[in-house]
Amino acid sequence: MSSQLAATPKAFLINGEWITNPGDSFDSVNPATGEVNYLVSCANREHVNAAVTSAATAAARSEWRDMLPHVRALLLNKIAAGIAARADELARLQMLENGKVWSECKAQAASAAATFRYFAAACETLGAEVTPSRGNYLSMTAYEPYGVVAAITPWNSPLTMEAQKVAPALAAGNAVVLKPSEVTPSAALLLGEIALEAGLPSGILNVVTGLGATTGKWLVEHPGVRMVSFTGGTSTGRTIGMIAAERLIPVALELGGKSPHIVFDDANLEAAAENIMGGIFEGSGQSCVAGSRLFVQRGVYDKLVALLVDRASRIRVGLPDVEGSEMGPLASFAQRKRVEHYVESARAEGGQILVGGKRPVAPELQNGAYYLPTIIGGLSNKATCVREEIFGPVLCVLPFDDESDLIAQANDSVYGLAGGVWTANYQKAWRVARALQTGLVWINTYKQLSISTPFGGFKESGIGREKGLSGVRLYQQSKGIYWSMDANNLA
Ligand code: NAD
């Protein structure tokens, strides 16, 4: 994998122009090799102000505000085509910055294009409503954009998250200021370039790069921002939610998770094992829906754990651009340190490391932020590793006795993003799916995701639902209109 140190920091996009802040920049580091990719500009307060002002001005222009839905849809489809045409470039940027393996980066780039196509279709077909009137009038509900949406994204899946926010926000008629993670700034910048080339009016999509505590915070605080869509950690979500509460603006928060993955003794253990592996180790476990707490009914516990340990020990950890690599590094050295800290806490709390629990020894991986797929047994549901989101390739396995014991343990979490259940009994599957306090449940599968199905968390995993048709409504406010039919009121 090649990397190069750019002489000047990457520029960000404001009002259709590329801006650099040479005075204030940071390194983008390739976690697979430890090399510096390039410098990235930090947007300061003035830049944030310019981005929000340009978005507000562009959103109010009739060129955008009055654009007919089918014309807007055409534009979104052109952006989708641009993403598809530059999918390799997008995938490569993500791989360089967060170390995901090439096949996953490619799949996420393709899915980003599909997301724009889906919201183009939604834009063209989503109607307003005529509501039942209680008198001689016509009553209607119309849907209008907020104006300027601040979209703030994490580093684990920037291609997916950015498309998931920008496409519906534009479909809904807003202008967007996008602030990607400092770890993965480049896909957002390329998306901005693609959108401009597709003919999106200047100022409708602005991209500012920088740190969360400065650039991100200034953006959320800016009085011109009318709605915030955030995906990231729960504590950051809480901070953003507090600012939004103070400002009385709506927020959508997609936050962390500690998802229970459940296997009953009547399940297809081979199929479950396959899905448990993907559910926790894909993307090196850096997935908000990672099935990181595995509950196994006691009768099949030993058998399933043996299957998992065998599979985990055979996962090919390697450089993300090498064919056959199944798991790349963590997205940063800080993230690996965090994972190591958690595994140490598991050891201290009596956990048994069944596989992994250390860095790989292969010479070509020594400069990157690699960590082996790790399975830990022997912990109680109260242990730190079982309660807190690790966001790494670490699976905690716990036995359960019966359904009520399982439900009590699975729901004993501040999080409520996703869950999975494996059983051949359809009544049990239905009961457990309904009893889990999570925004998403998979039955006899795991991590199936579709843009057409609303996504979001219960409890501290978030507020609001992205994706699906409600993903467009998330970025709109409804307006009730009463129109009298009484001819006497006309003259
Ligand atoms: P993070 O919360 O540290 O950062 C997310 C984004 O917020 C980044 O762009 C960051 O710069 C910005 N930010 C940080 N502090 C800010 C502040 N005070 N004001 C405004 N912006 C600020 O999260 P992360 O480490 O990038 O991502 C990992 C987390 O994201 C995990 O907890 C994971 O579960 C979560 N996540 C959730 C989903 C979901 O859909 N629920 C999806 C992916 C990731």
Side-chain angles (χ1 to χ4, degrees):
M1 187 184 303
S2 72
S3 73
Q4 58 188 40
L5 184 63
T8 50
K10 271 176 179 264
F12 41 75
L13 180 64
I14 297 178
N15 202 24
E17 288 177 11
W18 296 97
I19 317 278
T20 40
N21 182 12
D24 207 355
S25 60
F26 58 91
D27 290 345
S28 158
V29 176
N30 182 344
T33 61
E35 291 169 35
V36 174
N37 292 318
Y38 24 67
L39 297 177
V40 182
S41 295
C42 267
N44 61 28
R45 247 186 223 278
E46 287 69 41
H47 296 124
V48 171
N49 186 39
V52 177
T53 305
S54 105
T57 308
R61 269 192 213 114
S62 120
E63 174 196 19
W64 182 247
R65 197 191 55 215
D66 302 329
M67 188 180 272
L68 296 171
H70 63 285
V71 180
R72 205 188 293 285
L74 204 59
L75 205 43
L76 292 174
N77 273 318
K78 281 190 186 160
I79 298 175
I83 293 173
R86 299 179 76 174
D88 276 9
E89 232 177 301
L90 283 162
R92 186 173 160 70
L93 285 173
Q94 176 172 290
M95 182 178 69
L96 216 56
E97 293 175 357
N98 76 3
K100 277 199 173 179
V101 294
W102 177 244
S103 56
E104 197 178 341
C105 293
K106 279 291 296 272
Q108 290 190 311
S111 143
T115 295
F116 270 85
R117 284 197 297 273
Y118 174 83
F119 285 111
C123 178
E124 201 161 346
T125 53
L126 251 188
E129 291 125 29
V130 174
T131 53
S133 63
R134 292 182 162 229
N136 189 20
Y137 55 79
L138 181 65
S139 51
M140 294 170 276
T141 303
Y143 294 90
E144 300 187 353
Y146 284 105
V148 179
V149 168
I152 302 178
T153 50
W155 44 256
N156 61 328
S157 295
L159 295 172
T160 305
M161 303 296 151
E162 282 145 18
Q164 216 163 282
K165 293 189 189 307
V166 174
L170 297 182
N174 299 281
V176 176
V177 180
L178 172 60
K179 208 298 281 170
S181 164
E182 46 274 46
V183 179
T184 48
S186 296
L189 296 170
L190 185 48
L191 177 62
E193 187 179 319
I194 290 168
L196 275 185
E197 282 170 8
L200 192 74
S202 295
I204 293 298
L205 176 58
N206 305 272
V207 184
V208 287
T209 50
L211 307 180
T214 50
T215 307
K217 178 169 171 284
W218 296 327
L219 181 58
V220 177
E221 286 173 345
H222 196 288
V225 167
R226 302 308 314 156
M227 190 267 176
V228 178
S229 178
F230 169 80
T231 298
T234 291
S235 78
T236 314
R238 191 171 274 120
T239 304
I240 288 175
M242 286 194 291
I243 298 170
E246 189 68 37
R247 295 198 46 224
L248 289 176
I249 57 167
V251 277
L253 303 173
E254 298 287 353
L255 308 176
K258 193 75 195 178
S259 299
H261 202 160
I262 297 155
V263 182
F264 282 96
D265 57 12
D266 59 353
N268 177 337
L269 295 190
E270 287 289 342
E274 181 74 24
N275 281 267
I276 291 162
M277 288 289 112
I280 183 65
F281 296 128
E282 198 181 273
S284 303
Q286 301 163 116
S287 161
C288 53
V289 295
S292 50
R293 288 188 295 151
L294 178 66
F295 293 101
V296 186
Q297 198 157 20
R298 212 174 285 277
V300 292
Y301 183 89
D302 289 342
K303 189 168 175 198
L304 182 62
V305 168
L307 281 177
L308 297 175
V309 167
D310 175 54
R311 281 168 191 256
S313 63
R314 287 189 285 114
I315 289 178
R316 288 191 295 267
V317 178
L319 289 159
D321 60 346
V322 166
E323 203 171 331
S325 288
E326 294 171 308
M327 207 177 100
L330 276 304
S332 66
F333 291 88
Q335 193 61 17
R336 180 172 67 180
K337 202 166 170 190
R338 178 183 159 93
V339 169
E340 289 179 329
H341 161 80
Y342 273 111
V343 174
E344 279 320 303
S345 86
R347 284 196 175 97
E349 291 176 37
Q352 293 163 271
I353 311 299
L354 303 174
V355 65
K358 55 182 189 237
R359 300 176 184 185
V361 293
E364 71 275 19
L365 306 184
Q366 293 314 301
N367 293 328
Y370 295 89
Y371 199 77
L372 288 174
T374 299
I375 301 180
I376 306 175
L379 289 173
S380 86
N381 207 20
K382 302 281 176 227
T384 311
C385 269
V386 180
R387 302 196 79 73
E388 296 183 12
E389 184 185 45
I390 300 174
F391 222 55
V394 180
L395 177 69
C396 296
V397 197
L398 297 96
F400 70 90
D401 293 310
D402 56 25
E403 205 175 310
S404 62
D405 171 35
L406 174 267
I407 297 297
Q409 290 200 65
N411 285 340
D412 182 18
S413 171
V414 295
Y415 294 111
L417 192 54
V421 51
W422 290 82
T423 174
N425 180 325
Y426 71 89
Q427 289 158 315
K428 188 158 56 184
W430 176 246
R431 278 197 309 271
V432 172
R434 296 309 300 263
L436 286 178
Q437 295 163 353
T438 58
L440 193 69
V441 178
W442 287 289
I443 299 172
N444 292 332
T445 182
Y446 202 84
K447 230 177 163 187
Q448 290 279 318
L449 290 164
S450 147
I451 190 63
S452 58
T453 306
F455 177 93
F458 283 17
K459 302 199 277 189
E460 293 187 18
S461 288
I463 299 174
R465 296 289 177 270
E466 289 191 290
K467 304 171 56 168
L469 297 181
S470 56
V472 180
R473 296 295 189 224
L474 186 68
Y475 297 100
Q476 292 177 321
Q477 44 198 340
S478 74
K479 178 182 280 180
I481 301 175
Y482 291 75
W483 190 345
S484 172
M485 295 294 122
D486 187 342
N488 294 326
N489 291 355
L490 285 177

